[in-house]
Amino acid sequence: MESIIKYFPDAEIVAKNKKVKKELNSFGIKCKLYPTFPDVLVMPRHTARKYPEPRMKKIGLRHGAYHFKDFVSAARYHAFDVYLVTSQKEVELALEKGITNTIGVGFPKIDPAFNNTISEEIYNQIKRRINLDDEKPVIIFTATWNKSGMSAIDIWINNLKELTKDYNVMVTVHHWTEDSYKQIIKQTEGVFFIEDKDILPYLVLADVMIADMSSIIAEFCALDKPIITFRVPDKKRTSQEIKDMLDNMSIRVDTFDQLQIALKESVKNPDQLSAQRKKYNKIMFDDLDGKAGERAANIIKKYL
């Protein structure tokens, strides 16, 4: 929301409970507690049911880039007056699902990577924090929720130490991931577990991403850098479009041994799949110009 909220200095942020309010306050973010009664609501989740009054104008937007899992029901989208998605292609795909109220604006979350608003000092702080070795490539592991059935975390979590000799290793996981997994990562010598809420600067610093089936892949693809993805089982909301995309724009692996080979190839030839990544960036984001937040703000202003 940060790239949108800056256009609305008088907007109020609402926390769903005291726990969330306390956490937001710890980041210096002032907020009110639900329930509230706004004239215009902007929400990055499908929970418009919490604001059932029809006179409230409701605007939804993606909390993850593109739709890495298949669309939920049209009714969940139509609970909003308008739903902001990341591209015109996504608008067209939504129409095929009977969803008629979407507008493509881009993905505001990644704007700072393209409009030079991440300071050099932030990058330097991160380098010091992860004890960056400039002689080694930087790799970042990511995993979707371990109980989703689409996570590859069990394949690599106990083998990270093998990579620390040749790479700077960073790891980020879905916030629902069980603590037992997080503890293993934190206790692995030479591995940096990312706990920051904003991981975009870490993505910018990384040379290669290793992933499974998470929308963070799209954020890294936007930076046009090598991606390695583990094949994972199909589930209820698995999208064939996303599987085809990963087949084309990433190196696909099944085992940790294959990953090690793919890493060497990615570092040696980082531009190998660049044309495919750029193709899918146009599909997922339209224009990566750092102005998605501004486009979203202009639509929201029409409802004020």
Side-chain angles (χ1 to χ4, degrees):
M1 296 289 287
E2 190 172 25
S3 293
I4 302 173
I5 288 175
K6 68 181 183 180
Y7 294 99
F8 302 97
D10 297 323
E12 294 181 326
I13 298 170
V14 180
K16 68 177 182 178
N17 56 39
K18 291 180 180 179
K19 180 181 177 182
V20 174
K21 182 179 180 181
K22 183 178 179 181
E23 185 172 7
L24 289 171
N25 289 163
S26 73
F27 297 116
I29 299 172
K30 295 180 180 180
C31 57
K32 299 177 71 172
L33 270 178
Y34 178 85
T36 52
F37 305 90
D39 296 302
V40 177
L41 170 74
V42 183
M43 175 186 289
R45 298 300 297 264
H46 287 282
T47 49
R49 64 184 182 277
K50 293 189 174 185
Y51 293 86
E53 166 56 54
R55 286 174 295 178
M56 294 179 184
K57 298 300 180 182
K58 304 176 189 71
I59 298 150
L61 69 153
R62 288 227 169 274
H63 68 273
Y66 207 55
H67 55 281
F68 262 63
K69 298 176 183 65
D70 203 2
F71 293 89
V72 295
S73 69
R76 297 279 291 277
Y77 285 89
H78 291 156
F80 295 88
D81 293 89
V82 64
Y83 203 94
L84 307 182
V85 295
T86 64
S87 68
Q88 182 56 36
K89 178 64 175 178
E90 196 170 26
V91 171
E92 295 166 6
L93 292 170
L95 280 171
E96 294 176 9
K97 301 283 186 176
I99 302 165
T100 60
N101 63 336
T102 61
I103 299 176
V105 296
F107 193 43
K109 180 184 174 185
I110 59 175
D111 279 357
F114 299 94
N115 58 22
N116 299 314
T117 54
I118 304 176
S119 70
E120 196 64 34
E121 179 54 31
I122 289 176
Y123 291 125
N124 290 334
Q125 287 175 4
I126 292 173
K127 289 177 182 178
R128 291 192 293 268
R129 200 177 304 154
I130 68 176
N131 196 23
L132 186 77
D133 184 341
D134 290 327
E135 299 299 316
K136 300 177 184 178
V138 182
I139 63 175
I140 184 167
F141 280 81
T142 182
T144 194
W145 183 31
N146 62 287
K147 289 188 176 182
S148 68
M150 294 185 285
S151 175
I153 193 169
D154 288 310
I155 299 175
W156 52 259
I157 190 168
N158 292 309
N159 298 305
L160 291 172
K161 180 62 179 172
E162 295 181 33
L163 300 173
T164 57
K165 179 176 179 291
D166 298 315
Y167 306 96
N168 295 285
V169 181
M170 304 186 295
V171 179
T172 178
V173 295
H174 192 284
H175 64 281
W176 288 351
T177 300
E178 292 177 15
D179 285 340
S180 58
Y181 285 91
K182 295 177 183 178
Q183 289 306 314
I184 292 172
I185 297 166
K186 292 177 183 179
Q187 292 168 10
T188 304
E189 185 180 354
V191 173
F192 183 80
F193 181 63
I194 302 169
E195 297 185 84
D196 293 31
K197 297 297 180 186
D198 181 11
I199 68 164
L200 185 59
Y202 293 92
L203 299 183
V204 175
L205 283 175
D207 297 301
V208 183
M209 169 175 278
I210 302 97
D212 40 46
M213 186 68 80
S214 171
S215 62
I216 195 175
I217 297 169
E219 298 177 39
F220 199 75
C221 183
L223 304 174
D224 190 21
K225 293 190 283 190
I227 304 164
I228 302 167
T229 54
F230 283 95
R231 295 182 184 90
V232 293
D234 289 353
K235 293 296 176 180
K236 182 179 180 181
R237 290 186 63 201
T238 297
S239 163
Q240 185 61 46
E241 180 205 0
I242 299 301
K243 287 174 62 179
D244 293 342
M245 182 189 301
L246 296 180
D247 285 343
N248 285 300
M249 74 179 190
S250 70
I251 298 177
R252 301 287 260 159
V253 297
D254 296 291
T255 67
F256 191 79
D257 288 341
Q258 291 174 357
L259 168 64
Q260 290 178 298
I261 296 169
L263 272 172
K264 292 177 181 177
E265 180 66 22
S266 296
V267 171
K268 183 180 178 181
N269 300 303
D271 296 328
Q272 183 179 14
L273 296 175
S274 179
Q276 290 90 323
R277 292 193 293 266
K278 289 174 180 175
K279 169 191 170 182
Y280 282 107
N281 282 338
K282 291 296 292 183
I283 289 171
M284 292 188 290
F285 303 111
D286 290 336
D287 298 311
L288 290 165
D289 55 5
K291 296 181 179 180
E294 181 180 348
R295 285 189 287 273
N298 287 336
I299 292 169
I300 293 167
K301 286 176 183 177
K302 294 178 181 178
Y303 290 88
L304 298 183

